[in-house]
Amino acid sequence: MDMKRCPNGHFYDASLYRGCPYCQGASANVNLAPGGSFVGRPDPAVSVQQAGGESQPAPPAGPGNIPVRPAGMGNGFMPPVRPGNVPKQPAGMGNGSMHQGVGRPEQERKTVAVLEQKTGVNPVVGWMVCVDGIEKGKDYSLHSGNNFIGRRKGADICLENDMAVSRENQGVISYDARHKSFYAVPGTGQNLIYLNGEPLLTAHELRVYDRLEMGNTTLMFVPLCGEEFQWDEK
């Protein structure tokens, strides 16, 4: 045993520690024995011998005099997780979520037609039938309100195989249940829509068997609702 006293009055065994394990708590090498192996923190209850031969208890562990991590462990060393010292999540965070200061936003709800709100069903009011083009023979159901034409999946009238049709909004077929009328409305697509051979530049009321040409596709209008028939909203 090689007892030494540090400038702050702490006694330690120099054969076990390179420096005072109480004063140099921030040093990564303080707990190394001369052979380079980690010894561990001293037990405060163990008495050490002073230079004069008297024994006194080692000073209690506290801020500034607690030996720290073994050599080789960086500043990112974390103590083992034990019951009682598990870090808590900030308020408002759920399991698996990243902290953004707020919880996850509510899922957007799909806008529904007035008739669907009243009856729980959004019934068909007519059809657009492909009479020329890649989708020839295919029909597309129309519903009350706006029916969007485009290539994207999810469009009301999806012409996904006609690359000359705009993806998002080539045009709109609208049904006005209040006035029992159908309208063709140009969209924001680069290519024009032609109604019975004429460019569709503004909203135009549709008549039975009217034809709409867009890209490489021709659609024919076949109504169901109108003056002769209307879905009961009661």
Side-chain angles (χ1 to χ4, degrees):
M1 180 178 295
D2 182 12
M3 300 304 302
K4 289 188 177 182
R5 183 176 182 176
C6 74
N8 292 325
H10 302 138
F11 291 90
Y12 64 95
D13 189 348
S15 65
L16 298 178
Y17 304 100
R18 293 181 179 177
C20 176
Y22 304 102
C23 295
Q24 302 180 22
S27 172
N29 296 322
V30 69
N31 290 341
L32 291 177
S37 61
F38 174 68
V39 177
R41 60 180 296 178
D43 188 346
V46 177
S47 298
V48 295
Q49 189 176 20
Q50 298 185 27
E54 297 181 3
S55 296
Q56 68 174 23
N65 65 358
I66 299 177
V68 292
R69 63 186 72 83
M73 292 189 177
N75 293 332
F77 172 69
M78 295 293 292
V81 176
R82 298 185 180 89
N85 70 346
V86 180
K88 297 181 179 180
Q89 298 184 81
M93 291 178 60
N95 292 334
S97 65
M98 297 185 66
H99 178 51
Q100 300 291 339
V102 294
R104 294 179 60 186
E106 293 185 3
Q107 184 179 4
E108 294 183 3
R109 296 184 178 181
K110 181 181 178 181
T111 303
V112 297
V114 175
L115 184 59
E116 185 176 357
Q117 285 183 313
K118 294 181 178 180
T119 66
V121 178
N122 193 14
V124 64
V125 296
W127 299 269
M128 298 300 295
V129 181
C130 182
V131 295
D132 190 17
I134 299 175
E135 304 292 345
K136 186 176 181 179
K138 186 174 181 179
D139 64 280
Y140 304 89
S141 297
L142 300 175
H143 301 276
S144 181
N146 293 325
N147 300 266
F148 293 91
I149 306 170
R151 289 201 331 271
R152 71 173 180 84
K153 292 184 179 180
D156 300 291
I157 301 172
C158 178
L159 305 175
E160 60 180 330
N161 296 316
D162 189 342
M163 301 306 295
V165 171
S166 295
R167 175 178 173 79
E168 293 294 334
N169 184 13
Q170 176 69 46
V172 181
I173 305 298
S174 300
Y175 178 62
D176 179 3
R178 179 177 298 180
H179 298 96
K180 304 176 183 178
S181 300
F182 289 87
Y183 297 89
V185 183
T188 57
Q190 180 177 3
N191 295 326
L192 293 175
I193 295 178
Y194 292 86
L195 173 60
N196 299 325
E198 298 296 326
L200 180 68
L201 303 178
T202 60
H204 195 283
E205 187 171 359
L206 288 175
R207 302 296 180 186
V208 60
Y209 301 145
D210 276 349
R211 295 191 178 208
L212 290 175
E213 299 174 51
M214 59 199 76
N216 299 308
T217 300
T218 301
L219 301 176
M220 178 181 286
F221 171 59
V222 181
L224 171 63
C225 292
E227 294 297 335
E228 301 298 326
F229 174 79
Q230 179 77 1
W231 290 107
D232 187 358
E233 297 185 4
K234 296 181 181 180

